[in-house]
Amino acid sequence: MAVSATAKQEQPRVVLSARGLSKSFGAFMAVKNVDLDVHHARVHALIGPNGAGKTTVFNLLTKFLQPTAGSITLLGTDITKTPPDRIARMGLVRSFQISAVFPHLTVLDNVRVALQRTNGLSTQFWLPVSSLDRLNARADELIESVGLKRERNALAADLSYGRKRVLEIATTLALDPKVLLLDEPMAGMGQEDIGTVSNIIREVAKTRAVLMVEHNLSVVADICHHVTVLQRGEILAEGDYAEVSQDPRVRTAYMGTEEA
Ligand SMILES: Nc1ncnc2c1ncn2[C@@H]1O[C@H](COP(=O)(O)OP(=O)(O)OP(=O)(O)O)[C@@H](O)[C@H]1O
Ligand SMILES: [Mg+2]
């Protein structure tokens, strides 16, 4: 499905869940007994101080790391033992890892390469013209949906940093994920790009689940329906942003003495 301004908000239901998820590195437990439910049509934030275990949780969910204990279910299937290369095909895609932007290709060609990969077309050297047309139409649709129409024929290398990240998101969406994992999608971006990417995420989440690690709390307050706070590998609090940000334990542990 295209990400379009008219995409209807769908009903939330659990699409990705973890129970008792734990990961040890030697004697050190980076993730301890984490339960997580990620819902369709919702933006879920995973926040917490540096070293809390957020990226490790992402690595466990995408099976990049094998959990020491616990289980993971994706769209009703137990994926605890599923190898990582199968996860993306099952609909769980992590941005800025699986997708890569090729600097010497145009925006259009970057998206086309991503689409070809999804459709398994890259292994075929002969293709009916009609399938290429369909690919081009889908590429243009994706480019337009993320607001890169003007840069369609520009080389990826010539895009600003923020636009490159937007292109990365477009190549991720080409894989048509059911669940999208974003690790600090706003990192290093200016205010204008943050606004653009926030709008894209909000739109994307109308027909998908999004789980994102984000340090920018005004972004979390603005676009996330649900927040899970990790501290030293454990869940400290969860709820919507208003609840979590008022929790004294969160204020002490995560925000220190600063006002949220
Ligand atoms: N492969 C590894 N081997 C050993 N320790 C690790 C490994 N990966 C992560 N850790 C440790 O696990 C803890 C959690 O790290 P993680 O990267 O998940 O934190 P994070 O919440 O993503 O932090 P940040 O906000 O800085 O990105 C840290 O103490 C880290 O040093
Ligand atoms: Mg991290």
Side-chain angles (χ1 to χ4, degrees):
M1 279 295 291
V3 185
S4 81
T6 53
K8 213 169 108 243
Q9 182 80 51
E10 294 177 12
Q11 286 306 306
R13 61 177 185 279
V14 176
V15 285
L16 173 67
S17 67
R19 288 294 173 269
L21 199 60
S22 302
K23 180 68 188 176
S24 301
F25 296 112
F28 175 69
M29 255 186 121
V31 174
K32 295 176 210 163
N33 203 23
V34 165
D35 291 345
L36 204 63
D37 282 321
V38 178
H39 290 79
H40 177 74
R42 286 281 181 271
V43 184
H44 188 143
L46 189 58
I47 68 171
N50 292 118
K54 305 178 296 293
T55 299
T56 306
V57 167
F58 268 30
N59 286 336
L60 292 170
L61 293 174
T62 52
K63 306 309 309 303
F64 187 72
L65 287 174
Q66 188 58 28
T68 309
S71 63
I72 307 167
T73 306
L74 172 64
L75 298 161
T77 303
D78 188 320
I79 59 160
T80 315
K81 298 227 155 64
T82 306
D85 57 316
R86 299 236 329 256
I87 298 297
R89 270 182 281 140
M90 292 177 72
L92 176 63
V93 175
R94 177 180 180 167
S95 188
F96 317 136
Q97 181 197 307
I98 290 164
S99 67
V101 163
F102 300 106
H104 302 299
L105 293 184
T106 64
V107 165
L108 177 65
D109 285 339
N110 265 288
V111 175
R112 283 207 297 214
V113 166
L115 282 168
Q116 278 186 12
R117 229 174 1 172
T118 343
N119 297 346
L121 298 179
S122 48
T123 51
Q124 305 170 19
F125 69 92
W126 181 85
L127 282 172
V129 173
S130 60
S131 69
L132 277 178
D133 282 351
R134 242 188 339 226
L135 207 75
N136 288 343
R138 176 77 184 117
D140 273 322
E141 200 176 50
L142 269 170
I143 286 167
E144 195 166 348
S145 73
V146 298
L148 282 175
K149 205 174 169 186
R150 267 192 309 147
E151 292 94 340
R152 179 184 188 266
N153 299 312
L155 290 181
D158 293 335
L159 299 180
S160 69
Y161 176 75
R163 306 257 100 190
K164 263 188 211 129
R165 305 285 305 251
V166 168
L167 175 57
E168 279 175 322
I169 293 180
T171 60
T172 307
L173 292 175
L175 304 175
D176 202 16
K178 304 283 181 292
V179 185
L180 184 59
L181 266 47
L182 305 166
D183 197 351
E184 301 190 38
M186 314 293 178
M189 280 188 186
Q191 206 49 52
E192 193 185 327
D193 288 326
I194 287 176
T196 306
V197 173
S198 292
N199 285 334
I200 293 170
I201 293 171
R202 216 189 315 243
E203 207 50 45
V204 159
K206 286 184 178 170
T207 54
R208 293 178 174 79
V210 175
L211 177 66
M212 62 190 278
V213 170
E214 186 52 63
H215 282 294
N216 184 330
L217 294 181
S218 51
V219 169
V220 174
D222 189 27
I223 65 171
C224 297
H225 303 94
H226 192 81
V227 182
T228 298
V229 187
L230 273 188
Q231 185 196 23
R232 289 190 218 101
E234 288 178 288
I235 293 182
L236 180 65
E238 18 183 359
D240 62 25
Y241 183 78
E243 286 168 332
V244 155
S245 62
Q246 290 311 313
D247 188 320
R249 292 168 310 161
V250 176
R251 294 174 82 92
T252 312
Y254 182 65
M255 293 147 197
T257 52
E258 285 171 47
E259 284 300 302

